[in-house]
């Protein structure tokens, strides 16, 4: 995908969704961190259902660590890997309180030092909570970047580095959200919905899929 096509791609994505954001529900950087940690191998919907209850009772490191690991489990037990996630969350609260004054750090190294936080999670926090122009590459973004030719690569890190070079600077802060939403709802894994894709003619992926044929409604009555 050449420079002109990349510019058009993000202009169209921005026009369709001028203020993109994560579908996870959060009010503070700490709550976003908790939601992102819980979202591994889980849907945003399932995480939001759990965190609505959790944040109402324990929305800060102080109140969450007061619950303890066993007290936290009932809030998150509907989410996959809930026991290891509860353990990581309590350990994270402890580090935040001891080393960061109860605040989520804004530095990548400090974020990645937290239990359960890898590069992708750190990128989400830096971008969504603090407005840094980072791009957290998940399976959706990896797929879209490779299919469209925006940033082809064999690993998440390779795609991330290429995206940071390929995405025009004006769009870099919001690119993460546009690409993940596009991958989640349009450029799907098994069958992308090319017939309703706003960047279809810019994308070299073949063959393009067509809209499913409509089944005519049955009518009842006498001839």
């Amino acid at each position: 995908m050449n420079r002109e096509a990349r510019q058009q791609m993000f202009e169209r994505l921005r026009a369709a969704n001028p203020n993109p954001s994560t579908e996870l529900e959060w009010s503070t950087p700490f709550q976003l961190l908790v939601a992102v940690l819980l979202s591994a191998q889980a849907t945003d919907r399932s995480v939001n259902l759990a965190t609505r209850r959790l944040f109402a009772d324990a929305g800060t490191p102080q109140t969450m660590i007061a619950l303890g690991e066993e007290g936290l489990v009932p809030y998150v037990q509907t989410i996959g890997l809930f026991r290891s996630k509860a353990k990581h969350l309590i350990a994270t609260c402890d580090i935040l309180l001891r080393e960061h004054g109860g605040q989520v750090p804004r530095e990548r190294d400090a974020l990645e030092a937290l239990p359960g936080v890898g590069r992708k999670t750190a990128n989400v926090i830096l971008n969504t909570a603090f407005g840094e122009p980072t791009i957290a590459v998940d399976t959706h973004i990896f797929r879209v970047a490779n299919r469209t030719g925006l940033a082809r690569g064999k690993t998440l890190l390779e795609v991330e580095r290429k995206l940071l070079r390929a995405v025009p600077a004006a769009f870099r802060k919001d690119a993460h959200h546009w690409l993940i939403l596009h991958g989640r709802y349009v450029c799907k894994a098994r069958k992308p919905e090319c017939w309703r894709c706003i960047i279809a003619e810019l994308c070299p992926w073949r063959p393009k899929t067509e809209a499913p044929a409509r089944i005519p409604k049955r009518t009842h009555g006498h001839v």
Side-chain angles (χ1 to χ4, degrees), residues 22 24 26 28-37 55 124-125 128-129:
T22 178
L24 294 170
W26 62 285
T28 66
F30 172 71
Q31 292 181 3
L32 177 64
L33 175 60
V34 171
V36 176
L37 285 172
F55 294 157
V124 172
I125 302 304
T128 305

Side-chain angles (χ1 to χ4, degrees), residues 68-88:
E69 189 176 330
E70 290 306 312
L72 179 57
V73 164
Y75 290 93
V76 299
Q77 62 187 357
T78 56
I79 298 173
L81 307 175
F82 67 90
R83 289 207 172 273
S84 63
K85 291 176 181 179
K87 182 178 181 179
H88 285 156

Side-chain angles (χ1 to χ4, degrees), residues 12 38 203:
R12 294 182 190 186
L38 290 173
C203 172

Side-chain angles (χ1 to χ4, degrees), residues 8 13 16-17 19 38 42-43 45-46 63 71 103 106 112-113 142 150 152 162 179 184 186 205 208 221:
Q8 288 186 39
L13 292 172
N17 186 3
N19 299 296
L38 290 173
T43 65
R45 181 178 180 275
S46 68
T63 52
Q103 301 300 308
R106 194 168 179 162
E112 292 187 18
F142 184 82
L150 177 63
R152 290 195 171 103
K162 287 186 175 181
L179 294 174
R184 183 174 290 168
V186 180
W205 189 78
K208 293 288 196 295

Side-chain angles (χ1 to χ4, degrees), residues 46-119:
S46 68
V47 172
N48 289 336
L49 288 172
T51 56
R52 284 170 199 163
R53 293 179 54 244
L54 174 60
F55 294 157
D57 294 339
T60 67
Q62 294 87 345
T63 52
M64 194 168 292
I65 202 169
L67 285 177
E69 189 176 330
E70 290 306 312
L72 179 57
V73 164
Y75 290 93
V76 299
Q77 62 187 357
T78 56
I79 298 173
L81 307 175
F82 67 90
R83 289 207 172 273
S84 63
K85 291 176 181 179
K87 182 178 181 179
H88 285 156
L89 284 174
I90 295 302
T92 290
C93 290
D94 179 59
I95 294 172
L96 292 179
L97 291 168
R98 285 190 294 105
E99 300 181 14
H100 303 287
Q103 301 300 308
V104 175
R106 194 168 179 162
E107 299 76 31
R108 177 184 299 281
D109 288 346
L111 284 168
E112 292 187 18
L114 298 172
V117 175
R119 184 176 183 86

Side-chain angles (χ1 to χ4, degrees), residues 138-151:
D138 68 350
T139 55
H140 295 300
I141 295 180
F142 184 82
R143 179 173 64 253
V144 172
N146 275 284
R147 272 186 184 161
T148 61
L150 177 63

